[in-house]
């Protein structure tokens, strides 16, 4: 076994977990789940069957990653954040054939207690603030907050808020990465060095 799990955790036969992944207290990984290397699944995490999780993902306590969710490499899911997979659920109506796929791109952060309504894409290195409700796609590097979530700024891939000058450019103070605003998008135009 190339991963570690706490004695109270359940990893169903057939689940695929990568090298160095850690599964903590009372977590449950379903048989069809595919989880990459060096991930951390906190206490009480649930991972469904039709779920793909990349390398280096951190899922904090009490998060359920339901079917039809994909998390690319190095995504951070804050404590008790919520994914959905049916847009209009009713207890009396079976809608498993109506799941809407959700994609969270590389390096994105989903803050504590935020809700991701199914069928959206969260862009690479985007930052969803704590408690936000995301109902539509979030662009790469966007900082979104509120209910419903709205963009209030841009974040570097290091997680620093970017301050754009009159020339439409910003530099991450931690890495030296240079970003540019192009057609209402934030684009990494020159890579610095990650510490």
């Amino acid at each position: 076994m190339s991963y570690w799990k706490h004695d109270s955790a359940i990893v169903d036969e057939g689940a695929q977990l990568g090298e160095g992944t850690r599964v903590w207290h009372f977590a449950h990984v379903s048989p069809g789940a595919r989880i990459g290397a060096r991930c951390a699944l906190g206490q009480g995490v649930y991972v469904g069957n039709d779920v793909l999780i990349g390398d280096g993902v951190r899922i904090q306590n009490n998060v359920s990653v339901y079917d039809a969710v994909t998390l690319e490499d190095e995504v951070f899911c804050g404590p008790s954040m919520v994914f959905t997979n049916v847009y209009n659920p009713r207890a009396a109506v079976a809608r498993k054939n109506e799941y809407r796929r959700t994609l969270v791109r590389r390096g994105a952060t989903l803050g504590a207690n935020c809700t991701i309504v199914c069928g959206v894409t969260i862009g690479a290195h985007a930052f969803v603030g704590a408690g936000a409700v995301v109902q539509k796609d979030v662009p790469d590097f966007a900082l979104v907050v509120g209910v419903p979530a709205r963009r209030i700024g841009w974040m570097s891939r290091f997680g620093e808020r970017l301050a754009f000058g009159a020339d439409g450019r910003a530099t991450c103070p931690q890495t030296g990465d240079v970003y540019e605003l192009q057609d209402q998008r934030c684009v990494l135009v020159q890579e610095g060095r990650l510490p």
Side-chain angles (χ1 to χ4, degrees), residues 11 47 59 73 118 120 139:
V11 176
V47 179
I59 303 174
D73 295 347
C118 57
V120 300

Side-chain angles (χ1 to χ4, degrees), residues 154 161-172 178-181:
W154 304 97
R161 190 156 182 188
L162 296 170
F164 285 89
D167 62 354
R169 292 185 143 217
T171 301
C172 174
V178 178
Y179 298 83
E180 190 173 277
L181 292 177

Side-chain angles (χ1 to χ4, degrees), residues 70-73 75 103-108 121-125 140:
T70 297
L71 307 177
E72 291 186 348
D73 295 347
V75 166
L103 173 61
V104 183
R105 295 250 181 235
R106 179 186 186 103
T121 296
I122 308 297
H125 306 286
D140 294 353

Side-chain angles (χ1 to χ4, degrees), residues 11-195:
V11 176
D12 289 334
E13 188 175 338
Q16 299 173 26
L17 285 78
E19 181 77 32
T21 288
R22 300 173 69 77
V23 182
W24 289 96
H25 306 72
F26 310 111
H28 179 191
V29 179
S30 298
R34 292 172 291 157
I35 300 171
R38 302 175 319 282
C39 295
L41 279 61
Q43 177 177 309
V45 167
Y46 168 75
V47 179
N49 279 300
D50 181 17
V51 171
L52 176 60
I53 297 174
D55 296 334
V57 171
R58 301 285 178 259
I59 303 174
Q60 300 298 302
N61 296 352
N62 305 312
V63 173
S64 292
V65 186
Y66 295 120
D67 287 349
V69 173
T70 297
L71 307 177
E72 291 186 348
D73 295 347
E74 298 170 349
V75 166
F76 178 86
C77 296
S80 301
M81 62 80 47
V82 175
F83 290 103
T84 68
N85 59 10
V86 174
Y87 188 76
N88 54 341
R90 292 284 195 196
V93 180
R95 291 202 163 108
K96 287 189 175 189
N97 62 339
E98 297 177 22
Y99 287 170
R100 294 185 184 183
R101 301 205 75 76
T102 297
L103 173 61
V104 183
R105 295 250 181 235
R106 179 186 186 103
T109 293
L110 308 176
N113 291 302
C114 73
T115 298
I116 309 301
V117 177
C118 57
V120 300
T121 296
I122 308 297
H125 306 286
F127 198 104
V128 177
V133 176
V134 176
Q135 299 173 302
K136 61 183 181 179
D137 291 350
V138 175
D140 294 353
F141 304 108
L143 169 61
V144 299
V145 299
V147 179
R150 66 195 181 290
R151 187 181 56 76
I152 62 164
W154 304 97
M155 299 290 278
S156 74
R157 64 187 177 134
F158 189 76
E160 295 286 335
R161 190 156 182 188
L162 296 170
F164 285 89
D167 62 354
R169 292 185 143 217
T171 301
C172 174
Q174 297 294 325
T175 65
D177 287 351
V178 178
Y179 298 83
E180 190 173 277
L181 292 177
Q182 300 175 0
D183 299 322
Q184 303 294 316
R185 296 179 308 123
C186 179
V187 178
L188 175 63
V189 294
Q190 181 181 338
E191 287 190 16
R193 291 177 30 174
L194 289 175

